[in-house]
Amino acid sequence: MTQPAIGNFKRTKEIMQKYGLHAKKGFGQNFLTNPTVLRGIVDAAEISKVDNVIEIGPGLGALTEQLAQRAGKVVALELDTDLIPVLADVLSDFDNVEVLNQDVLKVDLPQLIQNHFDDPTKPIKVVANLPYYITSPILMHLLGTKIDWAGITVMMQKEVAERLAAKPGTKEYGSLTLAIEYRMDAKIAFNVSRRSFVPAPNVDSAIVTLTKRAEALSVQPRDEKQLFGLIKSCFTHRRKSLWNNLKPYFKKDAVKQKQMETILAKQALDPQIRPERLTLNQFIALANAMGEAKLFG
């Protein structure tokens, strides 16, 4: 008799009871028990047999099972040592799944790809139900590896998802939005009710897909560190005007202040505008001009 999917509520409870498991707050564990949502995640990631998939935090293997049915190979990184034998058991029918007791923030991802995928030239995709408390660090780590990801599809807190996909001028738009937009196109695929989890979290979730930028940046940054330092500075006090957020760069230096005024005029930027209204290309152009004027210290 064929067993129900791991993500079936009854089977999830049976697995937890069999192994004496409970969700650990320290790992941000909330087990997804909605097979429709699980299949929807795989659909949103557009997984096929040509894909190599890295899953972060497989938990009890509910999403891993769905991925394994469609992907060429799945390498799942699980930090909780107690779940390694559980995953070996519940995923024993799949010969295209490998579970590693690894921390995604510490593992050498390029080396992992070379060592654990038969053909590392095939598309590499990341699919994950990310712990809420560490969503942003994981995303920035993935994007900072310079790996040519074919796609990243992740579940996260709905509020964070809205920040990733925000547009200029909205309250959700900020430094995280721009950091993601610099590298990828972000889209919310669908929302997920908190009732789809065991235990239920206090907030709803959303599935976000990150794909390669459809359009190249119209302006290239002179210095990425200066660019993102400027962006972070401007959103530290997001309710202040752009001018007030730029003051630390010239302080009481009259010459530098005049340079900043000239730069804003040339960029056609109103000093009283709020940073949340600037596009990524405008931030890049501003950072480039400030770098040329040596206003970054």
Side-chain angles (χ1 to χ4, degrees):
M1 181 178 174
T2 303
Q3 289 212 73
I6 296 171
N8 173 279
F9 177 80
K10 182 178 179 182
R11 183 153 182 229
T12 295
K13 297 297 286 186
E14 288 174 350
I15 292 171
M16 294 178 73
Q17 289 171 2
K18 177 180 178 180
Y19 289 94
L21 298 172
H22 63 277
K24 298 177 182 178
K25 289 185 178 180
F27 287 107
Q29 291 175 345
N30 299 92
F31 302 124
L32 185 54
T33 58
N34 187 325
T36 301
V37 170
L38 289 162
R39 290 189 292 270
I41 295 171
V42 182
D43 288 340
E46 299 182 350
I47 300 300
S48 71
K49 289 298 180 183
V50 303
D51 295 322
N52 290 325
V53 177
I54 295 175
E55 184 190 6
I56 302 166
L60 299 180
L63 180 56
T64 323
E65 178 184 52
Q66 299 296 327
L67 290 168
Q69 291 170 1
R70 300 209 217 162
K73 183 172 181 181
V74 180
V75 173
L77 306 180
E78 178 53 60
L79 189 57
D80 186 353
T81 306
D82 291 342
L83 292 181
I84 301 302
V86 179
L87 290 163
D89 180 16
V90 299
L91 299 171
S92 60
D93 289 341
F94 297 100
D95 60 6
N96 63 337
V97 174
E98 186 174 359
V99 179
L100 304 176
N101 186 201
Q102 296 278 4
D103 182 345
V104 68
L105 293 176
K106 296 178 180 178
V107 70
D108 184 332
L109 287 169
Q111 194 63 53
L112 178 146
I113 291 168
Q114 289 296 322
N115 292 347
H116 295 277
F117 290 111
D118 295 334
D119 184 356
T121 65
K122 288 183 177 180
I124 306 289
K125 295 182 176 180
V126 173
V127 184
N129 175 10
L130 295 178
Y132 293 152
Y133 75 98
I134 203 168
T135 296
S136 296
I138 290 176
L139 285 177
M140 298 316 300
H141 177 66
L142 292 173
L143 297 178
T145 61
K146 307 300 182 183
I147 294 171
D148 186 21
W149 303 112
I152 298 174
T153 302
V154 287
M155 181 185 293
M156 63 188 69
Q157 186 175 335
K158 184 170 178 282
E159 180 182 333
V160 177
E162 289 169 347
R163 289 168 57 198
L164 262 62
K167 301 300 181 185
T170 63
K171 63 183 178 65
E172 292 83 13
Y173 185 77
S175 56
L176 179 60
T177 316
L178 291 160
I180 298 297
E181 185 186 348
Y182 181 69
R183 300 169 176 87
M184 309 283 274
D185 288 332
K187 178 183 177 183
I188 295 178
F190 59 94
N191 296 326
V192 181
S193 167
R194 65 193 74 185
R195 293 188 294 274
S196 294
F197 298 87
V198 172
N202 296 323
V203 294
D204 293 325
S205 301
I207 307 301
V208 175
T209 58
L210 304 179
T211 53
K212 296 177 183 178
R213 283 185 59 92
E215 297 180 7
L217 294 167
S218 61
V219 185
Q220 293 299 319
R222 294 174 76 253
D223 186 310
E224 286 187 7
K225 186 176 180 181
Q226 290 178 350
L227 169 64
F228 288 105
L230 172 65
I231 289 171
K232 182 179 180 180
S233 176
C234 283
F235 283 99
T236 299
H237 303 288
R238 61 179 298 133
R239 304 311 296 169
K240 287 186 177 181
S241 67
L242 176 62
W243 181 255
N244 283 334
N245 277 294
L246 292 174
K247 281 183 177 180
Y249 292 100
F250 58 83
K251 297 179 181 177
K252 296 182 179 181
D253 188 318
V255 174
K256 289 185 176 181
Q257 179 175 334
K258 184 62 178 178
Q259 286 178 306
M260 190 70 79
E261 291 172 351
T262 301
I263 288 170
L264 293 184
K266 286 183 177 180
Q267 302 286 335
L269 290 174
D270 179 354
Q272 298 309 310
I273 196 173
R274 283 182 175 157
E276 66 196 43
R277 303 196 69 84
L278 271 66
T279 65
L280 175 58
N281 284 320
Q282 286 176 312
F283 269 114
I284 295 173
L286 176 58
N288 286 351
M290 289 173 62
E292 290 172 5
K294 296 181 170 52
L295 291 173
F296 288 108

